[in-house]
Amino acid sequence: MKKFKGLLLISAIFFLLGGCDKDFIELNTNPYAVTDLDPALLFAGAQRSHLGGWETEHTIVQHFVNPFNSGATLGPNFNADIDNFNNGKWDGSYPNIIKNLVQALSLLEGSDRVNLRSMLRIWKAQVYMGLVDTHADIPYSNAGQAFLKGSEYFYPSYDDDAAIYADLEKELKEAIAALNPSGDFVSADLFYGANGSAKTTTATAQVDKWKKLGNSLLLRLGMRYSKLDANKAKTIVSEAFNGGVMKSNDDNAWVKYDGTLFTNGANGGLVNNNPYFYYAAEPLVEQLKTTADPRGPFIVATYANPSNPLADPKPVTDLASQFGVPVGVINTDLTKPAYRGAKGGGYNYSQMNVNVVASLTAPDFWVTYPEVSLLLAEAAQRGWIAGGEAAAKQYYEDGIKADIKRYALYPKSSAISDADIATFLASPGVAYNAADALKLINTQLWIAYIRNGTQAWANFRRSGFPALSPNKFNNLLNGGFIRRLSYPDYELAQNRTNYQNAVKAIGGTDNLTTRVFWDKE
């Protein structure tokens, strides 16, 4: 009963503070005047930010495709700069998450709840890292401050993206150092609290998890500098590694959904909103097929009727039967002889597996040991941590094993045997070799990020892998890829001066080919 009441209370907080208000007067004030809540509940409300959308980040990195160009569906599959698809990270962070985090930190001023405060700072860094990676310069130092400091903060200025990253590095290091195993236990923590997905029961155990999470985020941040400043990347990565990162899937930061109070909203459209629009992209399906990836049947499937996948009691999941929609091809072409034609209410191509990865009860994984291990594989291969090629191979294989094992946490999945995993690791196109190390490592990260579009896209820009071909539907991107998402249109209307200053600072053009500071050619 206590757990049920807690879920209800957290659900109420999400309802109160989670509205999609879109101007900065609303974004930076607290219209409900919830000033006496336990800040731990505000923290729990902020632990579900935006992982990235199927039709945006996952489409850019060619996991997914919506081949319909019908106005409302015009977006990244057609290299289009459309507000509808650009705003997910922004709208998912500023009205809800940032407001909760800023208010919770304010309520904790003078408090001895050092662990809750540190967790809030760590998670705030994660949220802002994703916003910078998506948009470049963003409101940071003054964002979410209006209800605390007055109306002059209704329309916050934008901070330089590189300067924000520097501050996030500081925030992570300070917050990790401040965590105290003798301090407060944060029961409401959705990751490691009393009812968390990877729950702990003592402050000592919870602090150990959060130190690993904080250092794992510091590792992620450090790796972002790999093209910009290899020496800086090495320094940060080494510090994160030495501080102690995630060691197993038991350390994963993830949220589970029960299908009643909480459902996986990102997957709702794939089963409820004209499912025949949504397909797996050809590059993902071909990668899974050519390597006989044991995760493949959990990721993609074909259905008797693509317009109603949930009605199919036995979808086809064997990889030989899967075919992804080619990137940049419009739906009207899919019925032509060169393609696979129509099927039922849609097209004869693979969709996402709505019983597993795309289920309404599929968990969300924010930071995982597979990600950490694969990033360490690259760090070892580059010589940024000790061990050389032997360590790189071990981290690489450990990361893949852990990611395959992680699928046991999805609904309607089954365990994959160690023997099958060993066969996969030894197979052509997967087996580690030094000459292709960066390609192999980052291609596996691309697969491990199958439902974390923000990270899949950021790591693709950072590493250049997998070696995808640009979408040639048109030349709106000058033959390249989307490098950032433009600011919401309402910023130009409502926060004009600060918006214009930000556009000037990032190079003078608010478009899809401008690069964030770490994304060097």
Side-chain angles (χ1 to χ4, degrees), residues 243-301:
V245 293
M246 292 179 172
K247 303 296 185 185
S248 74
N249 277 337
D250 290 339
D251 298 325
N252 291 342
W254 62 292
V255 173
K256 54 189 173 184
Y257 298 90
D258 64 3
T260 54
L261 278 174
F262 298 107
T263 60
N264 191 317
N267 292 339
L270 305 192
V271 297
N272 297 321
N273 183 27
N274 300 318
Y276 65 86
F277 281 172
Y278 308 127
Y279 297 86
E282 185 176 63
L284 173 65
V285 174
E286 289 307 302
Q287 171 67 30
L288 298 173
K289 287 176 69 172
T290 57
T291 61
D293 195 315
R295 293 165 290 193
F298 301 140
I299 297 173
V300 293

Side-chain angles (χ1 to χ4, degrees), residues 52 299 321 348 478:
I299 297 173
S321 302
N348 190 22
N478 301 317

